[in-house]
Structures are given as C-alpha cells and as structure tokens.
Amino acid sequence: MKPGYRIILIGFLVVLLALVRVFEEHLFYDPINEFYRSGFYMLDYLPQYKLPELLLNLSFRFWLNSIISLLILYVAFFDRNIVKFAAILFLGFFLVGVAAYSYLLLNLEQGHVMSLFYVRRFLIHPVFILILLPAFYYYRLQKRTKP
C-alpha cells in the first residue's frame, strides 16, 4: 500500500476513535461520567449505577477502542505478529484494569475517588495506542539496523 493511502487510512481510524469519544453519552451507559464532571471531590458517594450494565458498557467501549487501535497498528506496520502481540497486551491490560476498577468501585472510600477516575480513564480511552505505536516503530527500526 502506498504511504499516502496508509496515512489517510490511519487518519480515518483516528477519526473513528474521536467519534467514539464524541458520542460516548449516546453509545454507552456510564453514570459515573457525570459524577466526575460535577464537584465529585465534595461528595461522599457515587451515583446509583447498575454494576453489570456498567461493566458491560465499559468492556464494549474498551474493545471498540482496542479493535480500532489494532487496525491502526496493522495499517502502520502490516505485521500480524505485532497485532497479535498487541492484542495479547490489550487483553492483559483489560483484565487487570477491569479487576482494579471493579474492586475500587465496590470498595470505594473518599481517598480512592481519584484512583477510580484514573483506572476508568485507562479503560475508556485509547491510551495504549500512544504507547504501542512508537514502541513498535522503535522495535522495527532496531530490527532493521541489526546485521
């Protein structure tokens, strides 16, 4: 594929990631989102939520962002091994993140409100593509320079 087409396709996929963020209120159930937009540091409680529905929507959003991120990696490198490795990393991040999020959600204390916020951010935003894309690029450069 020509580099110009690859850049356009990656740009389109980045726009898809942005659209997930823009339409988050319409696509996903997340009453905790409004909690963090308000003066949450003054409140002692979370809003009412349905845990199974919240975790299902959080998972759906994570995997939607992850699939788009994996497509970006594939278009950038055209290497299935990189995509497989990244998918395994995403699965590991997901399992650790959802376990931490669930624990913090069920055992929330006032001092852990920001911990819940940051774990949630890692799960709902495609942060890992910002780490993996340059890491795989560097790996690819190192692989080319070795004899």
Side-chain angles (χ1 to χ4, degrees):
M1 182 180 289
K2 292 182 180 181
Y5 293 136
R6 288 169 73 177
I7 291 171
I8 291 170
L9 189 53
I10 289 172
F12 173 74
L13 291 168
V14 169
V15 168
L16 283 180
L17 287 174
L19 288 174
V20 169
R21 170 83 167 138
V22 168
F23 293 110
E24 69 184 352
E25 304 255 339
H26 304 290
L27 296 173
F28 309 107
Y29 168 77
D30 193 359
I32 296 174
N33 198 18
E34 186 59 36
F35 172 74
Y36 283 113
R37 287 190 181 151
S38 65
F40 65 90
Y41 45 86
M42 297 196 167
L43 300 175
D44 293 335
Y45 59 90
L46 285 174
Q48 294 290 339
Y49 60 88
K50 300 172 189 168
L51 184 62
E53 191 175 349
L54 179 62
L55 291 178
L56 183 68
N57 278 273
L58 182 89
S59 300
F60 176 64
R61 184 170 180 180
F62 177 86
W63 287 111
L64 182 63
N65 285 331
S66 296
I67 289 169
I68 296 169
S69 297
L70 290 171
L71 287 171
I72 290 171
L73 288 172
Y74 182 73
V75 171
F77 300 108
F78 286 112
D79 188 342
R80 290 184 184 200
N81 290 326
I82 286 177
V83 174
K84 286 178 189 176
F85 182 70
I88 292 168
L89 285 176
F90 277 118
L91 178 62
F93 293 146
F94 175 74
L95 294 174
V96 170
V98 166
Y101 184 73
S102 299
Y103 176 79
L104 288 169
L105 199 57
L106 295 172
N107 301 304
L108 188 67
E109 297 173 9
Q110 184 60 27
H112 298 284
V113 173
M114 289 309 292
S115 299
L116 181 70
F117 174 78
Y118 289 119
V119 170
R120 181 179 160 275
R121 283 285 179 213
F122 273 108
L123 287 170
I124 67 171
H125 296 301
V127 175
F128 299 117
I129 190 67
L130 298 174
I131 298 166
L132 293 176
L133 196 59
F136 287 131
Y137 180 73
Y138 180 75
Y139 168 76
R140 180 66 61 95
L141 285 177
Q142 291 300 315
K143 192 174 170 183
R144 286 185 188 164
T145 59
K146 287 186 179 181

